[in-house]
């Protein structure tokens, strides 16, 4: 069976960390929209210049931009040739999820599992502030969490309804969380 996987959860919950380990263990391309935007910003490309104002404010980059870069990436040869992919940080709202489902359908693919890393808000806020990244000031962190709660968290029910949600408690240490993630993927 294919492994078209999504990582869902609040900012700072550990999606990136788990995605890197999953990519290595299961030999899957890791597609992080946040990484794509950060690298575009560092290279001052047109995409980076457009994305910067939203990222700096802790807002979502508009769907037409984000959906476009994901569609482009999912159509690349290395992704098509692999057993699947790991989407980290996408979709982040129900319109993006609808877009993704339709896009995958066009190429006879579907989302196989959604790994929801669950942790309370205060835990992720603490982690984000401790991370010290440029886009992680207190005000921006709080705004990002609010956006995630209102825009992204409805995806938990969205994918629960689709029947492919796997919930993993992400409060424990990294090693423990990842061992549960790994087990879940192995038993797909
Ligand atoms: P991340 O590293 O996933 O937390 O993403 C960092 C920032 O990139 C977010 O705060 C958003 O501004 C932007 N971003 C990443 N993924 C998305 C997405 N799926 N939709 C809209 N904006 C995104």
């Amino acid at each position: 069976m294919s492994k078209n996987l999504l990582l869902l959860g609040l900012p700072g919950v550990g999606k990136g960390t788990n995605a890197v380990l999953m990519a290595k263990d299961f030999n899957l391309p890791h597609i992080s929209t946040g990484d794509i935007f950060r690298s575009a910003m560092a290279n001052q490309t047109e995409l980076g210049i457009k994305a910067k104002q939203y990222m700096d404010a802790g807002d979502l980059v508009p769907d037409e931009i984000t959906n476009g870069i994901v569609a482009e990436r999912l159509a690349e040869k290395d992704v098509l040739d692999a057993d699947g992919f790991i989407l980290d940080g996408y979709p982040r709202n129900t319109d993006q999820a609808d877009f993704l489902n339709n896009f995958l359908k066009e190429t006879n693919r579907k989302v196989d599992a959604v790994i929801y890393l669950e942790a309370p808000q205060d835990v992720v806020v603490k982690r984000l502030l401790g991370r010290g990244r440029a886009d992680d000031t207190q005000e921006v962190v709080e705004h990002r969490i609010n956006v995630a709660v209102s825009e992204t968290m409805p995806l938990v029910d969205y994918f629960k309804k689709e029947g492919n949600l796997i919930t993993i408690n992400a409060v424990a240490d990294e090693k423990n969380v990842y061992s549960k993630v790994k087990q879940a993927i192995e038993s797909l």
Side-chain angles (χ1 to χ4, degrees):
M1 176 176 125
S2 58
K3 289 188 176 66
N4 298 332
L5 310 175
L6 310 188
L7 273 164
L8 184 63
L10 293 172
V13 80
K15 298 188 294 291
T17 306
N18 281 280
V20 168
L21 297 168
M22 287 157 63
K24 188 165 160 272
D25 283 343
F26 297 98
N27 201 21
L28 298 169
H30 170 201
I31 305 169
S32 156
T33 42
D35 284 352
I36 294 171
F37 288 138
R38 274 185 290 276
S39 128
M41 265 168 64
N43 294 315
Q44 297 186 330
T45 66
E46 206 178 310
L47 171 69
I49 293 162
K50 273 193 221 154
K52 185 176 171 19
Q53 52 179 310
Y54 301 100
M55 292 181 73
D56 284 351
D59 284 320
L60 295 185
V61 175
D63 288 349
E64 57 271 25
I65 298 176
T66 310
N67 289 337
I69 62 160
V70 171
E72 237 171 65
R73 186 71 188 97
L74 288 175
E76 276 169 355
K77 192 174 182 315
D78 67 309
V79 176
L80 293 171
D81 286 348
D83 271 348
F85 52 78
I86 303 157
L87 270 170
D88 159 14
Y90 179 94
R92 257 186 161 88
N93 60 35
T94 54
D95 284 344
Q96 291 182 6
D98 287 341
F99 176 85
L100 176 67
N101 277 334
N102 289 329
F103 181 80
L104 290 175
K105 212 180 273 171
E106 283 168 19
T107 46
N108 294 316
R109 288 179 286 179
K110 62 174 174 55
V111 172
D112 295 307
V114 179
I115 296 169
Y116 170 40
L117 300 176
E118 189 178 40
Q121 274 185 53
D122 58 323
V123 171
V124 298
V125 168
K126 223 168 160 183
R127 280 190 203 166
L128 285 173
L129 291 175
R131 192 158 80 173
R133 227 164 51 188
D135 57 348
D136 287 347
T137 62
Q138 176 113 24
E139 199 192 343
V140 172
V141 162
E142 276 165 17
H143 184 63
R144 287 177 72 203
I145 299 286
N146 289 339
V147 170
V149 168
S150 60
E151 299 276 317
T152 311
M153 285 304 102
L155 290 177
V156 173
D157 270 345
Y158 180 108
F159 288 111
K160 209 181 263 172
K161 280 189 193 124
E162 293 200 344
N164 49 14
L165 191 83
I166 300 168
T167 302
I168 289 173
N169 182 325
V171 179
D173 61 277
E174 277 175 15
K175 231 174 134 185
N176 258 305
V177 174
Y178 181 64
S179 82
K180 285 187 267 179
V181 169
K182 193 175 177 201
Q183 248 176 22
I185 298 170
E186 280 166 349
S187 53
L188 279 179

